[in-house]
Each structure stands twice: as structure tokens, then as C-alpha cells.
């Protein structure tokens, strides 16, 4: 009898601009590989060609209306799950995703004013059962995050937004973490890159890899 392959884990990294998520995804994948776990690194919006095309549209100029944007982020995620997340997890590999559902809840919900009930309904429709097992929220003072993003020449369209918008984003992520402490771990993103990588690795090891 062929035994069912154990499904891989989905871990997401979230945070405001310049919080260092993308770098930490790579550190975590390297850490897992050393322990014999293959992890596929991906990002949202994007991850597969169709969703990357939606990314170009939705993050390009001029911006679409908030409703349209919300649906495009949801559509990009739906395709990402169908073509990458689901197949990778089913073959027992792990997925490390730079941004996922919490970005929609925060940017389109807390910041953009889309009804949280609607966001939850579309999330159930498009995402379930591919909810993250673990989410790291890299918390950074927006001023520092923006300086970092600017220094790297990675200005997203939200960088031009008012400072209070960045505070709304920060608070939005922290609120999610407070409501879902079983899934979310807040990491102080002001620490050095390698310190953060070590913390993230330790949490993943404790939660999934060490016995007991
Ligand atoms: P990106 O350049 O990847 O920003 P970062 O390096 O900060 O991750 O751009 C992604 C942008 O898309 C980011 O500003 C947040 C936004 N976004 C949403 O508004 N909703 C979403 O659901 C997702 C996944 C991203």
C-alpha cells in the first residue's frame, strides 16, 4: 500500500515596507535545507506566471479602484495556490511565502476600507484549506522601514503614502497577531538580519522539527 505523503508546511512572512521579509524567507529556506527539508520560496502577489502578470497590473500605474485591486489580489492568490502552493505542499515540500492573506487583510482591509466580512468570505473561498501553519510578522517602525526600502531602491507605491497610513499597516499586522497568537509570531524587525534569522529558525525548529 502506498502511504499518503505528509503534507508540507506553509509559512508566511508579513510586515510593512522594508521589514526584511524577503531576506528572511531565503535564510529560513537555507536553514530548512540543512535539515533535509526542501522549501520553495515564493511571494505575493505573484509566484506563478499568471499571478506575476496580475502583480504587474495591480502594482503598476495608475492604480485600479480599491474593489478591483482587492479582487485582483484575491485572483492572483487563487492561481498561486492552484499552481504552486497546493502541488508543492502535496508532494511534502514546504512553502515559504513573502506576504499572503494578512497583507490583504491589512492593506485592502484596515487601510483600504474593504469590509472585513467580505475579505473573510473571499479568503474562505479562495484560500481554505491552505491557511498558513505559521506566520512571522516582522515589526518595524515605518520610518526605519521606509529608509531601508529607499536605500535599496525598492520603493513601492505605498512609500509615498502618508505616515499615518504606514502606522495603520503596522497596527493592522499587530492586531492580527494579537487575535491569532497560535499562528502568528511577532519578531522585532529592528534586530540585525542574522539575529532575526536565528530567532525565526529556532521558532520553526521548536514548533515543527524538535521532538516533544
Ligand atoms: P512589494 O514590492 O513586494 O513590497 P514589499 O517588498 O514591501 O513586500 O509590493 C507588494 C505590495 O503589495 C506591498 O506594498 C503590499 C501590497 N499588497 C497588498 O496590498 N495586498 C496583498 O494582498 C498583497 C499580497 C500585497
Amino acid at each position: 500500500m502506498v502511504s499518503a505523503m505528509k503534507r508540507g508546511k506553509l509559512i508566511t512572512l508579513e510586515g510593512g515596507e522594508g521589514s526584511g521579509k524577503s531576506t528572511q524567507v531565503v535564510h529560513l529556506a537555507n536553514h530548512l535545507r540543512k535539515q533535509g527539508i526542501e522549501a520553495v520560496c515564493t511571494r505575493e502577489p505573484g509566484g506563478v506566471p499568471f499571478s506575476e502578470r496580475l502583480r504587474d497590473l495591480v502594482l503598476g500605474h495608475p492604480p485600479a479602484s480599491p474593489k478591483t485591486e482587492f479582487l485582483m489580489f484575491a485572483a492572483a492568490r487563487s492561481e498561486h495556490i492552484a499552481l504552486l502552493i497546493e502541488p508543492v505542499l502535496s508532494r511534502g515540500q514546504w512553502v515559504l511565502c513573502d506576504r499572503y492573506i494578512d497583507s490583504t487583510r491589512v492593506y485592502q482591509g484596515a487601510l483600504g476600507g474593504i469590509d472585513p466580512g467580505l475579505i473573510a468570505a473571499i479568503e474562505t473561498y479562495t484560500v481554505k484549506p491552505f491557511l498558513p501553519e505559521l506566520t512571522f510578522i516582522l515589526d518595524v517602525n515605518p520610518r526605519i522601514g521606509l529608509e531601508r526600502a529607499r536605500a535599496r531602491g525598492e520603493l513601492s507605491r505605498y512609500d509615498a503614502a502618508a505616515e499615518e497610513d504606514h502606522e495603520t499597516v503596522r497596527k493592522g499586522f499587530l492586531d492580527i497577531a494579537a487575535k491569532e497568537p497560535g499562528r502568528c509570531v511577532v519578531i522585532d524587525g529592528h534586530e540585525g538580519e542574522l539575529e532575526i534569522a536565528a530567532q525565526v529558525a529556532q521558532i520553526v525548529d521548536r514548533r515543527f522539527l524538535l521532538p516533544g
Side-chain angles (χ1 to χ4, degrees), residues 7-26:
R7 192 166 109 172
K9 309 272 180 223
L10 170 60
I11 299 179
T12 58
L13 284 90
E14 301 271 10
E17 315 300 311
S19 57
K21 298 174 280 75
S22 323
T23 322
Q24 292 304 329
V25 163
V26 176

Side-chain angles (χ1 to χ4, degrees), residues 15-152:
E17 315 300 311
S19 57
K21 298 174 280 75
S22 323
T23 322
Q24 292 304 329
V25 163
V26 176
H27 281 301
L28 181 55
N30 290 336
H31 173 74
L32 290 170
R33 255 170 229 136
K34 281 189 207 138
Q35 307 190 61
I37 295 172
E38 242 354 276
V40 174
C41 300
T42 187
R43 68 168 180 183
E44 288 209 341
V48 293
F50 186 86
S51 309
E52 289 288 335
R53 283 166 68 194
L54 285 175
R55 177 189 177 96
D56 288 344
L57 276 176
V58 76
L59 298 181
H61 294 281
S65 68
K67 276 185 197 172
T68 307
E69 276 194 352
F70 164 60
L71 293 169
M72 287 172 77
F73 281 116
R77 179 161 307 129
S78 174
E79 199 62 11
H80 189 206
I81 291 170
L83 294 193
L84 188 147
I85 295 178
E86 203 273 328
V88 170
L89 294 178
S90 330
R91 61 176 186 252
Q93 295 178 338
W94 292 25
V95 174
L96 311 181
C97 192
D98 180 350
R99 295 194 182 282
Y100 198 56
I101 50 172
D102 300 303
S103 284
T104 302
R105 295 182 191 181
V106 167
Y107 286 91
Q108 280 62 60
L111 186 62
I114 302 286
D115 170 27
L118 178 64
I119 293 179
I122 299 286
E123 193 182 292
T124 302
Y125 178 58
T126 52
V127 173
K128 236 177 166 182
F130 300 100
L131 292 167
E133 267 88 12
L134 177 62
T135 296
F136 289 103
I137 292 186
L138 267 61
D139 180 56
V140 172
N141 175 323
R143 273 193 205 156
I144 294 173
L146 286 179
E147 263 167 37
R148 286 182 184 169
R150 275 190 199 117
R152 289 198 305 254

